[in-house]
Protein backbone atom coordinates (compact mmCIF):
# COMPACT_ATOMS: atom_id res chain seq x y z
CA UNK A 1 0.00 0.00 0.00
CA UNK A 2 2.90 2.30 0.55
CA UNK A 3 3.44 2.23 -3.21
CA UNK A 4 0.30 4.27 -3.86
CA UNK A 5 1.27 7.03 -1.51
CA UNK A 6 4.85 7.56 -2.57
CA UNK A 7 6.34 9.43 -5.47
CA UNK A 8 7.97 7.41 -8.19
CA UNK A 9 11.32 8.16 -9.62
CA UNK A 10 11.93 6.66 -13.04
CA UNK A 11 15.09 4.64 -13.20
CA UNK A 12 17.87 6.57 -14.89
CA UNK A 13 19.38 3.40 -16.32
CA UNK A 14 16.52 1.95 -18.40
CA UNK A 15 16.42 -1.53 -19.86
CA UNK A 16 16.85 -1.69 -23.64
CA UNK A 17 13.29 -3.00 -23.94
CA UNK A 18 11.99 0.37 -22.79
CA UNK A 19 13.79 2.08 -25.64
CA UNK A 20 12.58 -0.49 -28.18
CA UNK A 21 8.95 -0.09 -27.14
CA UNK A 22 9.35 3.67 -26.90
CA UNK A 23 10.79 4.01 -30.36
CA UNK A 24 8.30 1.63 -31.98
CA UNK A 25 5.47 3.52 -30.27
CA UNK A 26 6.76 6.77 -31.71
CA UNK A 27 6.89 5.16 -35.13
CA UNK A 28 3.35 3.83 -34.78
CA UNK A 29 1.89 7.14 -33.62
CA UNK A 30 3.88 8.92 -36.35
CA UNK A 31 2.44 6.60 -38.98
CA UNK A 32 -1.06 7.19 -37.64
CA UNK A 33 -0.62 10.96 -37.74
CA UNK A 34 0.80 10.70 -41.24
CA UNK A 35 -2.15 8.64 -42.48
CA UNK A 36 -4.74 11.02 -41.03
CA UNK A 37 -2.86 14.08 -42.26
CA UNK A 38 -2.79 12.55 -45.73
CA UNK A 39 -6.55 11.95 -45.51
CA UNK A 40 -7.07 15.49 -44.28
CA UNK A 41 -5.10 16.98 -47.17
CA UNK A 42 -6.72 14.88 -49.86
CA UNK A 43 -10.27 15.12 -48.47
CA UNK A 44 -12.69 17.25 -50.45
CA UNK A 45 -16.16 18.51 -49.65
CA UNK A 46 -17.90 15.72 -51.45
CA UNK A 47 -21.42 15.03 -50.14
CA UNK A 48 -22.29 11.46 -49.07
CA UNK A 49 -22.50 9.10 -52.06
CA UNK A 50 -25.07 6.45 -51.27
CA UNK A 51 -25.87 3.42 -53.34
CA UNK A 52 -27.83 0.26 -52.60
CA UNK A 53 -27.54 -3.28 -53.91
CA UNK A 54 -30.10 -5.97 -53.29
CA UNK A 55 -28.34 -9.05 -51.95
CA UNK A 56 -31.19 -11.48 -51.34
CA UNK A 57 -34.97 -11.83 -51.55
CA UNK A 58 -36.34 -14.42 -49.18
CA UNK A 59 -39.80 -15.48 -48.10
CA UNK A 60 -40.21 -15.78 -44.36
CA UNK A 61 -43.68 -16.67 -43.20
CA UNK A 62 -46.15 -14.44 -45.00
CA UNK A 63 -43.65 -11.64 -45.65
CA UNK A 64 -40.98 -11.25 -48.31
CA UNK A 65 -37.69 -10.02 -47.00
CA UNK A 66 -35.55 -7.97 -49.36
CA UNK A 67 -32.03 -7.71 -47.96
CA UNK A 68 -29.71 -5.05 -49.27
CA UNK A 69 -26.33 -3.40 -48.70
CA UNK A 70 -25.98 0.34 -48.62
CA UNK A 71 -22.56 1.77 -49.39
CA UNK A 72 -21.34 5.30 -48.75
CA UNK A 73 -18.33 5.87 -50.99
CA UNK A 74 -17.72 9.50 -49.93
CA UNK A 75 -15.35 10.50 -47.10
CA UNK A 76 -18.31 12.02 -45.20
CA UNK A 77 -20.73 10.15 -42.92
CA UNK A 78 -24.47 10.34 -43.57
CA UNK A 79 -26.97 10.15 -40.69
CA UNK A 80 -30.66 9.30 -40.67
CA UNK A 81 -30.43 7.67 -44.08
CA UNK A 82 -33.86 6.59 -45.33
CA UNK A 83 -34.09 3.82 -47.88
CA UNK A 84 -37.28 3.34 -49.82
CA UNK A 85 -38.36 0.19 -51.59
CA UNK A 86 -41.15 -0.04 -54.15
CA UNK A 87 -42.73 -2.97 -55.91
CA UNK A 88 -44.03 -1.74 -59.24
CA UNK A 89 -46.52 -3.73 -61.28
CA UNK A 90 -46.95 -2.32 -64.79
CA UNK A 91 -46.80 1.41 -63.97
CA UNK A 92 -48.26 1.77 -60.49
CA UNK A 93 -46.50 1.08 -57.18
CA UNK A 94 -48.22 -1.88 -55.57
CA UNK A 95 -46.45 -1.60 -52.25
CA UNK A 96 -43.80 0.61 -50.66
CA UNK A 97 -41.64 0.01 -47.60
CA UNK A 98 -39.15 2.26 -45.85
CA UNK A 99 -36.32 1.84 -43.39
CA UNK A 100 -34.00 4.37 -41.67
CA UNK A 101 -30.32 3.84 -40.91
CA UNK A 102 -28.96 5.80 -37.95
CA UNK A 103 -25.62 6.14 -39.72
CA UNK A 104 -23.91 5.09 -42.90
CA UNK A 105 -20.26 5.92 -42.03
CA UNK A 106 -17.84 7.35 -44.56
CA UNK A 107 -16.48 4.80 -47.03
CA UNK A 108 -18.38 2.05 -45.26
CA UNK A 109 -21.16 -0.42 -45.74
CA UNK A 110 -24.30 -1.12 -43.75
CA UNK A 111 -26.86 -3.85 -44.14
CA UNK A 112 -30.63 -3.70 -43.88
CA UNK A 113 -33.83 -5.31 -45.05
CA UNK A 114 -37.25 -4.20 -46.26
CA UNK A 115 -40.33 -6.30 -45.63
CA UNK A 116 -43.10 -6.63 -48.20
CA UNK A 117 -46.30 -8.61 -48.20
CA UNK A 118 -46.40 -8.73 -52.02
CA UNK A 119 -44.14 -11.20 -53.80
CA UNK A 120 -41.59 -9.11 -55.70
CA UNK A 121 -40.90 -11.97 -58.11
CA UNK A 122 -41.96 -11.08 -61.65
CA UNK A 123 -42.53 -7.46 -60.69
CA UNK A 124 -40.24 -4.48 -60.76
CA UNK A 125 -38.44 -4.06 -57.41
CA UNK A 126 -36.71 -0.74 -56.72
CA UNK A 127 -34.66 0.00 -53.62
CA UNK A 128 -33.04 3.43 -53.34
CA UNK A 129 -31.79 5.84 -50.67
CA UNK A 130 -34.27 8.70 -50.34
CA UNK A 131 -32.61 11.13 -47.95
CA UNK A 132 -30.04 11.77 -45.22
CA UNK A 133 -28.93 14.36 -42.70
CA UNK A 134 -25.50 15.48 -41.59
CA UNK A 135 -24.51 13.90 -38.31
CA UNK B 1 -6.64 -21.33 28.11
CA UNK B 2 -5.29 -17.89 27.31
CA UNK B 3 -3.56 -19.31 24.23
CA UNK B 4 -6.84 -20.73 23.02
CA UNK B 5 -8.55 -17.40 23.56
CA UNK B 6 -5.77 -15.66 21.67
CA UNK B 7 -6.09 -17.99 18.68
CA UNK B 8 -9.88 -17.54 18.65
CA UNK B 9 -9.27 -13.80 18.77
CA UNK B 10 -6.87 -14.13 15.84
CA UNK B 11 -9.35 -16.15 13.89
CA UNK B 12 -12.10 -13.61 14.50
CA UNK B 13 -9.84 -10.79 13.45
CA UNK B 14 -8.85 -12.69 10.32
CA UNK B 15 -12.50 -13.32 9.49
CA UNK B 16 -13.46 -9.69 10.07
CA UNK B 17 -10.65 -8.51 7.86
CA UNK B 18 -11.78 -10.86 5.10
CA UNK B 19 -15.41 -9.74 5.44
CA UNK B 20 -14.35 -6.11 5.36
CA UNK B 21 -12.41 -6.91 2.19
CA UNK B 22 -15.52 -8.44 0.62
CA UNK B 23 -17.63 -5.42 1.55
CA UNK B 24 -15.05 -3.02 0.17
CA UNK B 25 -15.05 -5.10 -2.98
CA UNK B 26 -18.82 -4.80 -3.20
CA UNK B 27 -18.61 -1.05 -2.66
CA UNK B 28 -15.95 -0.78 -5.35
CA UNK B 29 -18.09 -2.80 -7.76
CA UNK B 30 -20.95 -0.36 -7.19
CA UNK B 31 -18.88 2.82 -7.46
CA UNK B 32 -17.17 1.73 -10.64
CA UNK B 33 -19.95 -0.37 -12.14
CA UNK B 34 -23.08 1.77 -11.64
CA UNK B 35 -22.46 4.21 -14.49
CA UNK B 36 -22.32 1.26 -16.86
CA UNK B 37 -25.28 -0.53 -15.34
CA UNK B 38 -27.30 2.59 -16.08
CA UNK B 39 -26.18 2.79 -19.72
CA UNK B 40 -28.86 1.76 -22.17
CA UNK B 41 -26.51 0.58 -24.90
CA UNK B 42 -24.96 -1.96 -22.58
CA UNK B 43 -28.30 -3.62 -21.84
CA UNK B 44 -28.88 -4.09 -25.55
CA UNK B 45 -25.33 -5.38 -26.02
CA UNK B 46 -26.16 -8.21 -23.63
CA UNK B 47 -28.08 -9.90 -26.42
CA UNK B 48 -26.80 -8.25 -29.60
CA UNK B 49 -23.11 -8.89 -28.98
CA UNK B 50 -21.53 -11.77 -30.91
CA UNK B 51 -21.21 -14.61 -28.36
CA UNK B 52 -17.57 -15.20 -29.30
CA UNK B 53 -16.65 -11.60 -28.42
CA UNK B 54 -18.43 -11.86 -25.10
CA UNK B 55 -16.58 -15.11 -24.40
CA UNK B 56 -13.20 -13.60 -25.28
CA UNK B 57 -13.75 -10.55 -23.09
CA UNK B 58 -15.08 -12.64 -20.20
CA UNK B 59 -12.02 -14.91 -20.35
CA UNK B 60 -9.60 -11.99 -20.78
CA UNK B 61 -10.93 -10.52 -17.54
CA UNK B 62 -9.46 -13.39 -15.49
CA UNK B 63 -5.75 -12.77 -16.23
CA UNK B 64 -6.39 -9.05 -15.89
CA UNK B 65 -7.84 -9.51 -12.40
CA UNK B 66 -5.08 -11.97 -11.58
CA UNK B 67 -2.32 -9.47 -12.31
CA UNK B 68 -4.23 -6.75 -10.48
CA UNK B 69 -4.60 -9.09 -7.50
CA UNK B 70 -0.88 -9.69 -7.42
CA UNK B 71 -0.43 -5.99 -7.06
CA UNK B 72 -3.19 -5.19 -4.60
CA UNK B 73 -5.65 -7.94 -3.74
CA UNK B 74 -8.29 -8.57 -1.10
CA UNK B 75 -5.71 -9.87 1.27
CA UNK B 76 -2.04 -9.17 0.96
CA UNK B 77 -1.20 -11.67 -1.72
CA UNK B 78 2.17 -13.20 -2.22
CA UNK B 79 1.66 -16.51 -3.95
CA UNK B 80 0.00 -16.95 -7.34
CA UNK B 81 -2.54 -19.23 -5.67
CA UNK B 82 -3.72 -16.44 -3.40
CA UNK B 83 -3.74 -14.01 -6.29
CA UNK B 84 -5.88 -16.40 -8.32
CA UNK B 85 -8.25 -16.81 -5.39
CA UNK B 86 -8.56 -13.04 -5.03
CA UNK B 87 -9.15 -12.64 -8.76
CA UNK B 88 -11.96 -15.19 -8.69
CA UNK B 89 -13.49 -13.58 -5.59
CA UNK B 90 -13.42 -10.17 -7.28
CA UNK B 91 -15.03 -11.63 -10.38
CA UNK B 92 -17.72 -13.30 -8.27
CA UNK B 93 -18.44 -10.02 -6.46
CA UNK B 94 -18.66 -8.30 -9.83
CA UNK B 95 -21.12 -10.88 -11.15
CA UNK B 96 -23.30 -10.85 -8.03
CA UNK B 97 -23.31 -7.05 -7.79
CA UNK B 98 -24.23 -6.72 -11.49
CA UNK B 99 -27.00 -9.29 -11.21
CA UNK B 100 -28.43 -7.67 -8.09
CA UNK B 101 -28.36 -4.15 -9.52
CA UNK B 102 -29.79 -5.12 -12.90
CA UNK B 103 -32.68 -6.92 -11.15
CA UNK B 104 -33.19 -3.93 -8.84
CA UNK B 105 -33.30 -1.52 -11.79
CA UNK B 106 -35.87 -3.68 -13.56
CA UNK B 107 -33.55 -4.40 -16.46
CA UNK B 108 -33.56 -8.13 -15.83
CA UNK B 109 -36.99 -9.72 -15.57
CA UNK B 110 -38.00 -13.31 -14.94
CA UNK B 111 -39.72 -13.59 -18.30
CA UNK B 112 -36.45 -12.98 -20.17
CA UNK B 113 -34.61 -15.95 -21.64
CA UNK B 114 -31.51 -17.27 -19.89
CA UNK B 115 -29.33 -16.02 -22.78
CA UNK B 116 -30.32 -12.46 -22.11
CA UNK B 117 -29.70 -12.79 -18.37
CA UNK B 118 -26.26 -14.25 -18.85
CA UNK B 119 -25.31 -11.79 -21.61
CA UNK B 120 -26.37 -8.71 -19.68
CA UNK B 121 -24.69 -9.83 -16.46
CA UNK B 122 -21.50 -11.00 -18.20
CA UNK B 123 -20.94 -7.59 -19.79
CA UNK B 124 -21.53 -5.66 -16.58
CA UNK B 125 -19.42 -8.04 -14.54
CA UNK B 126 -16.24 -6.93 -16.34
CA UNK B 127 -16.13 -3.33 -15.09
CA UNK B 128 -17.78 -4.31 -11.80
CA UNK B 129 -15.11 -6.91 -11.03
CA UNK B 130 -12.30 -4.46 -11.80
CA UNK B 131 -14.12 -2.06 -9.48
CA UNK B 132 -14.29 -4.75 -6.80
CA UNK B 133 -10.56 -5.28 -7.04
CA UNK B 134 -9.76 -1.57 -6.94
CA UNK B 135 -12.31 -0.99 -4.16
CA UNK B 136 -10.42 -3.25 -1.83
CA UNK B 137 -7.16 -1.46 -2.33
CA UNK B 138 -8.28 2.15 -2.69
CA UNK B 139 -11.10 2.28 -0.16
CA UNK B 140 -9.11 0.33 2.38
CA UNK B 141 -5.90 2.25 1.91
CA UNK B 142 -6.24 4.61 4.86
CA UNK B 143 -6.80 2.03 7.51
CA UNK B 144 -4.74 -0.71 5.98
CA UNK B 145 -1.62 1.38 5.63
CA UNK B 146 -0.33 1.08 9.16
CA UNK B 147 -0.49 -2.68 9.13
CA UNK B 148 0.96 -2.99 5.64
CA UNK B 149 3.75 -0.53 6.06
CA UNK B 150 6.43 -2.41 8.04
CA UNK B 151 7.65 -5.06 5.61
CA UNK B 152 6.75 -3.18 2.43
CA UNK B 153 9.46 -0.71 3.17
CA UNK B 154 12.15 -3.33 3.18
CA UNK B 155 13.99 -2.27 0.06
CA UNK B 156 12.22 0.95 -0.86
CA UNK B 157 13.20 2.92 2.17
CA UNK B 158 11.62 6.34 2.53
CA UNK B 159 8.84 7.23 0.11
CA UNK B 160 10.69 6.54 -3.12
CA UNK B 161 9.56 3.56 -5.13
CA UNK B 162 10.25 2.22 -8.56
CA UNK B 163 7.78 0.13 -10.51
CA UNK B 164 8.83 -2.35 -13.14
CA UNK B 165 8.27 -1.32 -16.75
CA UNK B 166 5.74 -4.06 -17.68
CA UNK B 167 3.77 -3.31 -14.50
CA UNK B 168 3.69 0.35 -15.41
CA UNK B 169 2.32 -0.44 -18.88
CA UNK B 170 -0.16 -2.92 -17.42
CA UNK B 171 -1.48 -0.32 -14.99
CA UNK B 172 -1.91 2.11 -17.87
CA UNK B 173 -3.88 -0.56 -19.73
CA UNK B 174 -6.18 -1.08 -16.73
CA UNK B 175 -6.81 2.66 -16.41
CA UNK B 176 -7.42 2.99 -20.14
CA UNK B 177 -9.76 0.01 -20.15
CA UNK B 178 -11.66 1.41 -17.24
CA UNK B 179 -12.40 4.84 -18.62
CA UNK B 180 -13.00 3.62 -22.15
CA UNK B 181 -15.48 0.97 -20.96
CA UNK B 182 -17.46 3.81 -19.42
CA UNK B 183 -17.90 5.73 -22.64
CA UNK B 184 -17.34 3.26 -25.49
CA UNK B 185 -20.80 1.65 -25.53
CA UNK B 186 -22.60 4.97 -25.95
CA UNK B 187 -23.55 6.19 -29.38
CA UNK B 188 -21.87 9.51 -28.69
CA UNK B 189 -18.39 8.11 -29.36
CA UNK B 190 -19.17 7.20 -32.95
CA UNK B 191 -21.29 10.30 -33.41
CA UNK B 192 -18.38 12.49 -32.27
CA UNK B 193 -16.04 10.77 -34.69
CA UNK B 194 -18.52 11.45 -37.51
CA UNK B 195 -18.76 15.10 -36.59
CA UNK B 196 -15.01 15.58 -36.40
CA UNK B 197 -12.91 16.33 -39.44
CA UNK B 198 -9.46 14.80 -39.88
CA UNK B 199 -7.95 18.05 -38.60
CA UNK B 200 -9.89 17.73 -35.34
CA UNK B 201 -8.58 14.19 -35.03
CA UNK B 202 -4.97 15.24 -35.52
CA UNK B 203 -5.27 17.84 -32.78
CA UNK B 204 -6.96 15.28 -30.51
CA UNK B 205 -3.87 13.05 -30.80
CA UNK B 206 -1.60 15.88 -29.67
CA UNK B 207 -3.95 16.89 -26.87
CA UNK B 208 -4.20 13.28 -25.60
CA UNK B 209 -0.43 12.82 -25.54
CA UNK B 210 0.17 16.20 -23.90
CA UNK B 211 -2.45 15.53 -21.22
CA UNK B 212 -0.96 12.11 -20.52
CA UNK B 213 2.53 13.48 -20.12
CA UNK B 214 1.41 16.49 -18.13
CA UNK B 215 -0.74 14.46 -15.74
CA UNK B 216 2.13 12.25 -14.74
CA UNK B 217 5.21 14.47 -14.91
CA UNK B 218 4.35 18.14 -14.97
CA UNK B 219 1.59 18.52 -12.40
CA UNK B 220 2.76 17.68 -8.93
CA UNK B 221 -0.02 15.29 -7.97
CA UNK B 222 0.52 12.95 -5.10
CA UNK B 223 1.84 9.75 -6.64
CA UNK B 224 3.26 11.67 -9.59
CA UNK B 225 6.49 10.56 -11.17
CA UNK B 226 9.80 12.33 -11.08
CA UNK B 227 12.89 12.05 -13.17
CA UNK B 228 16.30 11.95 -11.68
CA UNK B 229 17.93 15.33 -12.32
CA UNK B 230 20.39 13.98 -14.87
CA UNK B 231 17.73 12.35 -17.08
CA UNK B 232 16.46 14.62 -19.86
CA UNK B 233 12.70 15.19 -20.07
CA UNK B 234 12.31 13.54 -23.46
CA UNK B 235 13.53 10.21 -22.06
CA UNK B 236 10.33 9.81 -20.04
CA UNK B 237 8.31 10.99 -23.01
CA UNK B 238 9.70 8.31 -25.30
CA UNK B 239 9.88 5.52 -22.72
CA UNK B 240 6.56 6.01 -20.95
CA UNK B 241 4.19 8.50 -22.52
CA UNK B 242 4.36 7.27 -26.11
CA UNK B 243 4.03 3.56 -25.27
CA UNK B 244 1.25 4.60 -22.88
CA UNK B 245 -0.60 6.30 -25.71
CA UNK B 246 -0.18 3.23 -27.91
CA UNK B 247 -1.58 1.13 -25.04
CA UNK B 248 -4.56 3.52 -24.86
CA UNK B 249 -5.07 3.19 -28.63
CA UNK B 250 -4.91 -0.62 -28.50
CA UNK B 251 -7.33 -0.80 -25.56
CA UNK B 252 -9.71 1.54 -27.38
CA UNK B 253 -9.55 -0.65 -30.49
CA UNK B 254 -10.24 -3.75 -28.41
CA UNK B 255 -13.20 -2.19 -26.60
CA UNK B 256 -14.71 -0.86 -29.83
CA UNK B 257 -14.28 -4.27 -31.43
CA UNK B 258 -15.98 -6.02 -28.49
CA UNK B 259 -18.91 -3.61 -28.78
CA UNK B 260 -19.15 -4.17 -32.53
CA UNK B 261 -18.46 -0.56 -33.42
CA UNK B 262 -15.90 -1.39 -36.11
CA UNK B 263 -17.83 -3.82 -38.28
CA UNK B 264 -18.00 -2.95 -41.99
CA UNK B 265 -16.28 0.36 -41.34
CA UNK B 266 -13.51 1.93 -43.36
CA UNK B 267 -9.98 2.08 -41.93
CA UNK B 268 -9.91 5.85 -41.67
CA UNK B 269 -13.21 5.83 -39.80
CA UNK B 270 -12.01 3.06 -37.45
CA UNK B 271 -8.89 5.09 -36.74
CA UNK B 272 -10.85 8.26 -36.07
CA UNK B 273 -13.28 6.53 -33.69
CA UNK B 274 -10.33 4.91 -31.91
CA UNK B 275 -8.60 8.26 -31.47
CA UNK B 276 -11.78 9.78 -30.04
CA UNK B 277 -12.02 6.94 -27.51
CA UNK B 278 -8.28 7.12 -26.83
CA UNK B 279 -8.75 10.61 -25.38
CA UNK B 280 -10.57 9.34 -22.26
CA UNK B 281 -8.50 6.15 -22.38
CA UNK B 282 -5.21 8.04 -22.22
CA UNK B 283 -6.43 10.14 -19.31
CA UNK B 284 -7.47 6.91 -17.60
CA UNK B 285 -4.03 5.46 -18.29
CA UNK B 286 -2.29 8.52 -16.85
CA UNK B 287 -4.57 8.53 -13.80
CA UNK B 288 -3.86 4.85 -13.20
CA UNK B 289 -0.14 5.57 -13.02
CA UNK B 290 -0.83 8.10 -10.31
CA UNK B 291 -3.43 6.19 -8.31
CA UNK B 292 -2.54 2.51 -8.55
Amino acid sequence: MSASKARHTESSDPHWIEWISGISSCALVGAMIGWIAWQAITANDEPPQLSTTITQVRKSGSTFRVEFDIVNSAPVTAAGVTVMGEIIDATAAVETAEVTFDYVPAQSKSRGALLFSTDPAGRDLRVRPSGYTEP
Amino acid sequence: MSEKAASAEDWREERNRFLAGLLRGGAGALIFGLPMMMTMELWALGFTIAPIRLLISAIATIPLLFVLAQRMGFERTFTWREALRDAIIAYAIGILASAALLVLLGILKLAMPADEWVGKIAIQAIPASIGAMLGRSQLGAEKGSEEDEPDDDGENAGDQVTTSYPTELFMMAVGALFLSLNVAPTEEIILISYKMTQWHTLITIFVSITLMHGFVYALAFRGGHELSPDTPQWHAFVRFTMPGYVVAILISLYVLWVFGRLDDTAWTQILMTTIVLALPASIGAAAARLIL
Side-chain angles (χ1 to χ4, degrees):
Chain A
M1 220 49 58
S2 64
S4 61
K5 295 291 159 235
R7 291 184 68 83
H8 297 242
T9 304
E10 311 304 9
S11 116
S12 50
D13 178 29
H15 196 257
W16 55 268
I17 210 117
E18 302 188 13
W19 287 113
I20 298 283
S21 72
I23 290 162
S24 46
S25 302
C26 288
L28 210 63
V29 174
M32 198 169 75
I33 292 173
W35 169 272
I36 293 171
W38 170 250
Q39 296 283 328
I41 292 163
T42 55
N44 43 13
D45 287 343
E46 230 184 304
Q49 295 285 331
L50 301 164
S51 60
T52 52
T53 3
I54 296 170
T55 51
Q56 203 175 31
V57 180
R58 234 191 309 190
K59 187 175 192 293
S60 57
S62 58
T63 59
F64 294 88
R65 189 169 66 213
V66 176
E67 292 171 14
F68 63 91
D69 285 348
I70 179 163
V71 175
N72 179 5
S73 53
V76 184
T77 295
V81 179
T82 48
V83 172
M84 218 169 76
E86 290 174 306
I87 295 178
I88 297 169
D89 201 354
T91 53
V94 184
E95 193 180 350
T96 61
E98 205 181 40
V99 65
T100 307
F101 288 83
D102 287 346
Y103 301 103
V104 181
Q107 284 159 343
S108 301
K109 187 175 80 172
S110 292
R111 276 187 289 265
L114 290 165
L115 304 174
F116 293 98
S117 55
T118 321
D119 188 354
R123 296 183 173 90
D124 196 4
L125 173 64
R126 285 181 199 167
V127 176
R128 60 177 182 87
S130 58
Y132 65 86
T133 63
E134 277 183 20
Chain B
M1 173 70 192
S2 69
E3 232 172 69
K4 223 175 182 181
S7 85
E9 186 73 12
D10 273 359
W11 184 82
R12 205 169 298 130
E13 203 172 296
E14 185 76 9
R15 187 197 57 187
N16 285 346
R17 243 162 35 91
F18 186 71
L19 281 180
L22 286 185
L23 289 178
R24 283 178 193 147
L30 286 187
I31 293 172
F32 290 99
L34 256 182
M36 274 153 278
M37 293 174 196
M38 292 184 162
T39 302
M40 190 165 76
E41 285 87 347
L42 274 174
W43 311 335
L45 268 168
F47 49 89
T48 59
I49 193 171
I52 186 72
R53 294 184 192 188
L54 188 55
L55 181 70
I56 289 173
S57 37
I59 291 175
T61 307
I62 297 171
L64 183 119
L65 291 172
F66 176 72
V67 180
L68 264 182
Q70 281 193 315
R71 211 180 136 92
M72 39 195 60
F74 281 98
E75 299 292 311
R76 301 177 56 210
T77 42
F78 293 109
T79 65
W80 65 269
R81 203 188 292 252
E82 284 172 327
L84 188 64
R85 184 202 62 184
D86 282 3
I88 300 297
I89 290 175
Y91 211 171
I93 291 177
I95 291 170
L96 291 177
S98 310
L101 257 292
L102 290 177
V103 169
L104 174 72
L105 300 176
I107 297 154
L108 283 177
K109 298 219 168 75
L110 276 179
M112 290 174 180
D115 270 10
E116 201 174 330
W117 273 72
V118 174
K120 282 177 174 171
I121 294 173
I123 281 206
Q124 300 287 359
I126 298 168
S129 58
I130 300 175
M133 191 61 90
L134 300 183
R136 161 63 181 88
S137 80
Q138 297 305 317
L139 300 182
E142 299 307 324
K143 226 182 143 195
S145 55
E146 84 251 29
E147 72 200 56
D148 288 349
E149 213 77 65
D151 24 325
D152 264 2
D153 279 7
E155 28 183 345
N156 309 316
D159 58 353
Q160 296 291 323
V161 286
T162 43
T163 323
S164 82
Y165 190 63
T167 315
E168 197 79 9
L169 289 186
F170 174 79
M171 286 302 152
M172 289 198 242
V174 173
L177 183 66
F178 205 82
L179 225 59
S180 58
L181 272 178
N182 261 294
V183 287
T186 63
E187 191 177 316
E188 282 81 348
I189 290 297
I190 50 169
L191 179 58
I192 289 169
S193 78
Y194 296 157
K195 281 181 178 290
M196 284 165 82
T197 65
Q198 279 90 348
W199 297 113
H200 286 95
T201 318
L202 281 178
I203 295 168
T204 308
I205 298 177
F206 290 114
V207 169
S208 306
I209 295 175
T210 312
L211 283 177
M212 257 187 114
H213 196 71
F215 253 58
V216 180
Y217 293 102
L219 308 178
F221 283 138
R222 192 167 64 167
H225 293 228
E226 276 170 351
L227 295 162
S228 15
D230 53 333
T231 327
Q233 182 77 30
W234 64 269
H235 273 215
F237 185 77
V238 172
R239 276 159 50 203
F240 292 95
T241 305
M242 292 305 276
Y245 187 63
V246 170
V247 165
I249 288 275
L250 293 177
I251 293 286
S252 304
L253 256 181
Y254 165 70
V255 170
L256 287 169
W257 174 77
V258 167
F259 292 158
R261 293 294 196 197
L262 306 178
D263 304 354
D264 284 327
T265 307
W267 272 108
T268 312
Q269 201 62 59
I270 288 180
L271 210 53
M272 287 177 69
T273 317
T274 308
I275 289 164
V276 171
L277 187 58
L279 176 62
S282 59
I283 293 174
R289 287 184 74 190
L290 301 178
I291 299 164
L292 300 180

